[in-house]
Amino acid sequence: MNVETEPAAVGRTAGSARTQEVAWHHRHLLDVDVVTWPEIELIMRTTDEMKGVLARPIRKVPALNGRRVTTLFYEASTRTRVSFETAARNLSADVVSVATATSSVTKGESLVDTIRTLEALGAEILVMRHSVSGAPYLAAEIFGGHVLNGGDGWHAHPTQALLDLYTMRQHLAGGDLRGRKVAIVGDILHSRVARSNIWSLTAAGADLWLCGPATLLRGMDRWATAWDGGAIPGHGRFHVTSDVDAAVRDADVVMALRIQRERMQGGLLPSLREYAARFGLNAERVSLAKPEAIVMHPGPMNEGIEIAPDVATSGRAVITEQVANGVAVRMALLYLLAGAHEAAGGHEAAHEAVHVREAARAPEAIR
Amino acid sequence: MSLQSKTASRTTALGPSVGEVVERFELEKAWLVDPVSGREGPGEIVVTDGVLESVVWLEGEEASGVTDKGVVVAPGFFDLHAHFREPGFEDAETVATGAAAAAHGGYTTVAMMPNTSPALDEPGVLERIRSAARASGSPVEVLAYGAVSADRAGEQLSAMGELADAGVIGYSDDGAPVRTAKLLRSALLYAGMLGLPVVEHAEDLELTASAEANEGYVASILGLAGWPTAGEVNAVSRDLAVLADALRDEPRARLHLTHLSTTASLDLVRRAKAAGLPVTCDVTPHHLALADEWIAGARRWSWEALGPDGTSRDPWADEALTAWPYDTSLRVNPPLRTPVDAAACLAALLDGTASAVVTDHAPHTVVDKEVEFGMASNGISGIETALGVLIALVDSCRLPLARAIAALTTAPAAIVAGWPALAATAAARKRGLTEGAPADLVVFDRADRWTVTEESLRSKGKNSPFIGRELSGRVLLTIAGGRLAYEDPKGGDE
């Protein structure tokens, strides 16, 4: 393999003085909670390489040539599925796309049977989206290949958190989140994006603020309190508030989360109008943030509700960059996971490795 | 032939197979626990022709070397709450496999819940269960509750009087609460008239709609929909208020609250009992010994997850997550709570608020459990591990051995004795080591550890969170009503 076709010589080149060299040994990526900080740095560096690929006239390398990636989506999604499939094709993988509406899932086939069937059909890397929290963990227990979580219930959306982190680092001086204020505003309770971001941003040393109406923050204060004393190895504290101005003030990053209409039927919100007025990111609110602050949204957006249209299209918004970076991050993860299999000495060793949670080591500054 | 112990020894053979009268069984130098007399200590027993012929307490030189850490003899256990799934769900359990599992767990009497299909809401279903119990050949006594409401639908009362005539020991819509306060009031009055209790699964279904795990820190991190403490407290408040109301018209109304799991709901019962309300309650081994952190992958006992200040420790901070998360064998209703709630269950057991331990044995098929966590059926297959879990508590010095035995024997019998129509029946009889009575006892080795595996469980339900783990307190022998119910296959080898 030559340098032109190989996106990154990760794990084999000498590490820089700042970052300890680390090999990727996770068989699956189910959440960022078990990914150590050096591993996150590795993902970020690999993503840099993938960005380089995407900058070429022909955005394709043969790194995963002949490898079989299957996307299994139990929940409607456009951008995540297309992003994963684009990423896989950019690496020359063969992509099979399974959407539940057209599979035998609608005939009542269990997740376990579906996964065994897909494995028998040759799936090696399974990208999965599911509405039930924890579903990819069940998949990973029975699937012989690699599982990449494309979002499960309220629990986790690791690739989103990693693309968010990558995007933030691109825009922050020095690419360093330590001490930088990140405000995430919206439906935190039901958000897998928020949960994965809690793990990755507290590992990065960011000053993380979660904000939303009390009904959509249930339980988060207890979580924040538990972590307040720096109790979790490798993770700093974070804040929870319903005071949106306090959350946004002097922020380096402001992220809005989607508000779903079901929340009104569930009695959690009086009206979308009231939400927009009290929590929506409008120009006035965003002006409380630092002048150079960026505005993010994991999509899809409800413009005029959680984010005003002029904010979404302003120079501060990096929402389309998030989408573009999503492809690169997912290329990096597919690449790392596909390589992990051999590197970790096959099925057993890799499976063993993910069963044991490692103590993540964060930048020292956050202690 | 001898039991697996350094001290105790068995000198004579049993009847050859399950269901047969135990002709002769002698056990020397074991630790006897008699919760009726309150006595425990070294002793010997002799069973002849199914009768506990002699109970001899040893003293002095004879007793030397016999401790409560080895082979223990106790009265047969009584489970006030189990699911045997027949009729309707025989893939998950049958009366025969349930009885075999019970005997393996040391139980000689089990009360079945009526959430079968069809529900046990008329006498014909009870007859089916009884004939299945007879056909099983097991001497384990299978009692049953009738449903409170027809088809457990919460609309109108079941055939309560006919069910009483046929011999149910009470009424429950377990699996769900009695749907409305109004129906509960009727049920308490009508059941009270019949001298029988309403056994209530306390849950506010509005607050727990789509809930997956105890609302709290663990569920927040795992992204699981919360089952709030208020869901149980609210229901218990309702039930107690309705009971107080019903008692004015029917002094024989009785309420039993099963599988309570929260500090606050147990406090409510504690106060209601102090105020003289005829209410009783129980707790389960899993709510005593496990906590919600197991769903995240922790595998330590609930008391090991308590900090010195009595608050719950953080399994993430402790790096105590050693198992794969979202194990559906941990999905149970009410859900596993915090270590603080588990400690409250133990406190309630110790102060008599909840005198009895029940298993809520809830076997399920692989089809119902090998699914996404939030789609898995609720329940733990627990009748074979209850003793081992309580022994773990005993080993931790938090529960005296005699109290653990009482919670499995005399305490449930005393609860039944408080139900007027049953006060003089066999179910309410004092469960002691009584000379001259039919032998009804369990022999177990407190120190002998056994590994819980799918093969070692007699239940069809392999949905145990202890699969692959070791428990102390191997049951060596169970005799029910003078007949052999279970014998450890290793026991007679040496």
Side-chain angles (χ1 to χ4, degrees), chain A residues 30 111-112 116 130 132-135 137-138 140-141 154-155 195 199 218-219 222-223 226-227 231-233 354-355 357 359, chain B residues 212 215-217 219-226 296 314 316-319 321-326 370-375:
Chain A
L30 305 178
L111 174 64
V112 169
R116 287 187 179 133
H130 201 296
V132 176
S133 294
Y137 291 79
L138 174 63
E141 267 190 295
W154 307 349
H155 172 241
R195 282 186 178 76
W199 285 105
R218 232 171 53 226
R222 247 179 306 204
W223 182 351
W227 284 23
I232 310 299
V354 290
H355 270 75
R357 292 189 174 230
Chain B
E212 295 169 299
E215 183 165 284
Y217 178 61
S220 289
I221 291 186
L222 295 184
L224 293 172
D314 183 328
W316 280 270
D318 290 349
E319 299 187 34
L321 304 178
T322 55
W324 205 233
Y326 301 101
E370 201 182 61
V371 294
E372 298 86 329
F373 190 85
M375 295 179 173

Side-chain angles (χ1 to χ4, degrees), chain A residues 10 34 36-37 59 75 82 118 170 190 221 254 357:
Chain A
V10 289
V34 294
T36 63
W37 185 253
R59 307 171 151 198
E75 212 180 54
V82 170
L118 294 175
Q170 273 190 317
H190 302 97
D221 197 52
V254 182
R357 292 189 174 230

